[in-house]
Each structure stands twice: as C-alpha cells, then as structure tokens.
Amino acid sequence: MESALEGKPEVVELALLALLARGHVLIEDVPGVGKTTLARALANAVGGEMRRVQFTSDLLPSDVIGVSIYDAKRGEFVLKHGPVFGNILLADEINRASPRTQSALLEAMNDGQVSVDGRSLPLPRPFFVIATQNPQDFAGTFPLPESQLDRFMVRISIGYPPAAVETRLMLEPPEDRAGRVRAVLDPETLCQLQLQVDQVAIDAALGAYLQALITATRNSSTLTLGASTRAGMNLSQAARARALLNGRRYCIADDIHDLAVPLLAHRVRLASHADGYMPTREEAEGAVRDIVARVPVPL
C-alpha cells in the first residue's frame, strides 16, 4: 500500500487497523491528494470482491442497496443486488449524494445487513466501507449527519506528500499505482485476523483511561456533543488492532492515546458554533487534542 501512497505510513496504518478492527474508514481531504488511490490500494491488498459507487446528487438508495425486478419467466419479483453486496465498498465522494442516499448505508455499516422489501439480507463477510469525501465547504456537498459519522471508526486526512515525493510524481509519466498493489490476503484469512484482534488484552488501568477520555469530551466546555459509547467501543477495538499490527497481544497507553484524535474528532460538535454547524476537521481535531492532553496517561 505504501508503494501506492508514498510518504504516508501513518495514513496506511490507520486504514489497516480500522480494517482489522471491523470498522469503516472515512477519508476526508481536498481533491487530488490520493483519497481514492488509498482506498483502491487497500481494497486490492486484502482481496475479496470490491464494488465501487461514485456518489452523485441524483444517486438513489436503490442504486446502492439493490431493487426488486419482476421476472416474467419466473412470474415473481427477483432482487437485483446492489454494489453494497461485496466485501469492500468504495463509496467515492459520499457527501455529494443526498442525505436520503447517504442513510442507505447506515444499516449496512452498523449491522452488516440491509433491508429490502421487508426482508433483512446479510452482507458478505468481511464487509468494509471505505468512503471518501471532500471538505464540507466545497460546492455540491451535503454534510454527513452525526448518526452516520458515528458509524465510521476513523477519519483519515492524507495531506500533501513530502516535497521530494511530490516533485517525482509530477515529473514521472502518469501511472496507476493502486492497480499494481497485489492481494496479500483473502476474505477467510482476513476474518481470522479480525478474530485475533478480539483476543488482545486491555487491563483495568487502560480501561479507566479510556473511560476518562470519553467522559472528558462530554464534560468539556468547548464541546456541546461529546463522544458516544460506540466511540469508546471503537477506540478500544482500534487500540487492540494497533497492538496486533505491532506484534503485541496486549495494549499499552500509547495505543489509546495516539488513536484518540482520529477516532473521536469527527464525532463531536464545538460549542463555539451554532447548532447544526459541523466543525471543520482542523477545528474538531484541535479541540479533541487539547482535551486528550489534559487527561493523565497511566504509567
């Protein structure tokens, strides 16, 4: 993956730990810095069946989930599966679709199933959503509601590449770097690794630290909306995945401390803004970073 997105090892690690922790990834940044490249590289690396949807303002929920079509030969309605029925769904520029279409992913991301014509249908395992979005102040975007943002385990910002890498990329002929990434896993092996994450230990002191972080976001005067219980559960699971990626069967304080900002900042609302205003990524991350800095880290 780092061969496709050079100079960004920390971004690659965040995407991988979200995958192992059975979460979903929201990649937010300005156009042209590699959001789709990262998503495609990750999808190619883990194998499985990948589906891609380019979200637009006229996209309908049925375009994502599927629709029942009458089969004249069989004399009955048959469900035509949408792109959500795959192992990996790349939802490109998700905030360009209407809120109605965005909400079509809520059940899929939270429960691993979708409801069509009164029936609940399970999705393939593993199921992983990689969504990309442009910043909310860009034209033609619809901000994701808090209920949907809370379904994403981690929000990633890629940023511009190092100067030396960027210069080389501008001078070299165009190349599909993500397409060259080979699969190193299959769905069955990936599911086994995800189960191993559950076996990573977190002791009582780290549990108290985690609770203190979540409570601090709720009691902070700078926020009107703190982290949810789901956010704390996601942070715990992501810490386990980070430990496993680093060859440990136990968590340390840094696993929680270092992941707090990318896992919590997209779930909060700043008190300094009017109700319904979604803070920019930089504002939210700065507020959460200050809160995390004030919570004592266990020794």
Side-chain angles (χ1 to χ4, degrees):
M1 288 177 58
E2 290 183 12
S3 67
L5 195 71
E6 294 185 64
K8 297 292 179 178
E10 70 286 351
V11 171
V12 172
E13 182 185 34
L14 281 174
L16 287 175
L17 69 85
L19 173 66
L20 287 179
R22 298 195 295 274
H24 305 286
V25 172
L26 178 63
I27 307 174
E28 177 183 316
D29 217 320
V30 296
V33 294
K35 298 190 301 296
T36 305
T37 297
L38 173 61
R40 290 182 57 224
L42 178 59
N44 290 342
V46 301
E49 185 178 9
M50 174 185 167
R51 305 287 185 88
R52 178 175 180 174
V53 180
Q54 182 66 46
F55 278 64
T56 58
S57 59
D58 58 350
L59 192 74
L60 299 175
S62 58
D63 296 326
V64 179
I65 296 176
V67 63
S68 293
I69 300 177
Y70 184 73
D71 188 332
K73 292 183 179 180
R74 300 171 58 178
E76 60 182 6
F77 283 91
V78 178
L79 176 64
K80 181 181 179 182
H81 287 176
V84 75
F85 285 89
N87 297 118
I88 300 163
L89 176 65
L90 171 54
D92 212 2
E93 294 188 302
I94 189 174
N95 61 335
R96 291 198 180 278
S98 67
R100 180 186 176 191
T101 302
Q102 292 174 3
S103 65
L105 285 177
L106 284 176
E107 183 182 13
M109 295 172 62
N110 196 57
D111 301 325
Q113 66 178 30
V114 294
S115 297
V116 182
D117 295 337
R119 295 180 295 162
S120 294
L121 304 175
L123 297 174
R125 301 289 184 180
F127 176 69
F128 182 55
V129 174
I130 311 170
T132 72
Q133 72 168 0
N134 295 322
Q136 64 175 4
D137 56 344
F138 274 55
T141 60
F142 298 87
L144 297 179
E146 288 90 342
S147 59
Q148 183 142 1
L149 287 171
D150 202 38
R151 261 71 173 189
F152 287 101
M153 175 172 282
V154 59
R155 177 174 63 181
I156 296 175
S157 175
I158 297 176
Y160 297 109
V165 174
E166 188 172 33
T167 300
R168 181 165 50 77
L169 290 175
M170 291 187 293
L171 296 179
E172 290 180 351
E175 183 179 4
D176 183 12
R177 295 175 177 270
R180 295 188 312 174
V181 176
R182 298 181 179 180
V184 295
L185 292 176
D186 55 60
E188 182 179 355
T189 304
L190 177 56
C191 288
Q192 293 173 357
L193 289 173
Q194 290 175 335
L195 292 176
Q196 290 183 35
V197 172
D198 298 339
Q199 307 304 316
V200 176
I202 296 184
D203 63 25
L206 293 183
Y209 175 55
L210 175 60
Q211 180 65 56
L213 285 176
I214 298 300
T215 302
T217 65
R218 299 169 183 169
N219 296 336
S220 173
S221 60
T222 62
L223 303 178
T224 57
L225 178 67
S228 66
T229 302
R230 181 190 290 118
M233 296 167 63
N234 281 181
L235 182 51
S236 171
Q237 193 72 357
R240 289 186 174 97
R242 187 176 188 263
L244 190 67
L245 279 177
N246 286 277
R248 287 182 276 108
R249 292 288 180 173
Y250 57 90
C251 288
I252 59 177
D254 285 349
D255 294 327
I256 298 174
H257 179 274
D258 296 347
L259 294 176
V261 172
L263 266 83
L264 301 181
H266 61 291
R267 308 171 192 256
V268 302
R269 183 188 298 159
L270 297 183
S272 58
H273 295 293
D275 185 45
Y277 176 89
M278 297 300 295
T280 64
R281 175 179 54 79
E282 292 81 5
E283 291 173 324
E285 289 182 354
V288 173
R289 190 174 292 110
D290 290 342
I291 293 171
V292 172
R294 291 196 294 269
V295 177
V297 179
L299 299 178

